């Protein structure tokens, strides 16, 4: 049915019917299925928890690890990957021993590289791609690690190389943040 968070008209559901030389049958079947999908359209809307609700629910789980996925800010789905609402919820709930991966923010990564490992820096993290709906998270961060961002996969597609650009591991309160 398409990516439910897309704001593009063409990202919706499509119906395709194939027949053996029966175009009218295919058209009728496609219309019938399309009418059914339209009737159920509200059932296809994504239902999820807000970031604070998701963190609160995760904290109720007695044994970990717990993964919270911000599906709507998925760079693989076309977004910028710089929304900090879930990170803010982790910080607001004073979550300890957590890793947040990742925030796409080349400016903050460069700031961390300039300061160096072991430094403490004041950052305005994420929220830079669309200031109408997002704003950066102001925080003090400890620079825990730095890399050039190059990697080689070992499990999925073994040997495949990638390059994310300069990357930093920052520690903000109890959360390690990969930038």
């Amino acid at each position: 049915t398409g990516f439910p968070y897309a704001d593009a008209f063409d990202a919706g559901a499509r119906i395709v019917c194939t027949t053996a030389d029966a175009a009218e049958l295919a058209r009728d079947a496609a219309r019938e299925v399309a009418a059914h999908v339209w009737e159920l359209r509200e059932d296809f809307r994504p239902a999820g928890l807000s970031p604070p609700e998701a963190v609160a629910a995760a904290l109720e789980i007695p044994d970990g690890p717990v993964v919270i996925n911000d599906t709507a800010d998925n760079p693989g789905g076309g977004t910028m990957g710089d929304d900090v609402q879930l990170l803010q919820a982790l910080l607001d709930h004073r979550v300890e021993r957590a890793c947040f991966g990742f925030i796409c923010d080349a400016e903050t990564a460069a700031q961390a590289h300039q300061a160096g490992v072991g430094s403490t820096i004041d950052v305005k993290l994420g929220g830079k791609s669309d200031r109408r709906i997002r704003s950066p998270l102001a925080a003090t961060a400890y620079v825990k690690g730095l890399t050039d961002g190059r990697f080689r996969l070992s499990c999925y597609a073994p040997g495949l190389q990638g390059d994310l650009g300069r990357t930093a591991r920052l520690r903000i309160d109890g959360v390690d943040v990969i930038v």
Side-chain angles (χ1 to χ4, degrees):
T1 61
F3 185 62
Y5 300 101
D7 60 358
F9 175 77
D10 292 337
R14 298 291 185 265
I15 308 299
V16 177
C17 290
T18 305
T19 63
D21 296 322
E24 190 173 321
L25 176 61
R27 185 175 42 253
D28 291 346
R31 286 181 176 153
E32 182 180 335
V33 171
H36 184 68
V37 168
W38 183 254
E39 281 179 32
L40 298 174
R41 67 189 178 278
E42 292 304 320
D43 294 341
F44 294 120
R45 291 195 189 279
L49 302 174
S50 70
E53 291 169 338
V55 172
L59 290 172
E60 293 296 319
I61 297 172
D63 297 319
V66 176
V67 175
I68 302 173
N69 178 26
D70 185 352
T71 307
D73 195 35
N74 171 13
T79 65
M80 298 304 293
D82 73 339
D83 191 331
V84 292
Q85 292 177 74
L86 183 53
L87 175 58
Q88 183 67 63
L90 290 168
L91 297 172
D92 289 347
H93 280 85
R94 294 179 169 36
V95 173
E96 294 287 329
R97 296 181 33 190
C99 181
F100 188 91
F102 56 89
I103 293 286
C104 185
D105 185 339
E107 180 182 307
T108 298
Q111 180 184 356
H113 275 260
Q114 184 174 7
V117 172
S119 299
T120 300
I121 57 177
D122 290 322
V123 296
K124 292 199 182 307
L125 181 62
K128 296 178 177 116
S129 64
D130 189 343
R131 298 276 172 110
R132 295 171 302 164
I133 58 173
R134 296 184 176 103
S135 58
L137 171 76
T140 299
Y142 171 74
V143 181
K144 194 169 184 178
L146 300 169
T147 74
D148 62 7
R150 294 186 188 133
F151 62 94
R152 181 184 313 266
L153 295 177
S154 59
C155 295
Y156 174 77
L160 181 67
Q161 296 180 27
D163 186 349
L164 297 173
R166 294 193 302 178
T167 304
R169 180 179 177 183
L170 305 179
R171 182 81 169 169
I172 301 174
D173 295 335
V175 182
D176 281 5
V177 182
I178 308 303
V179 180

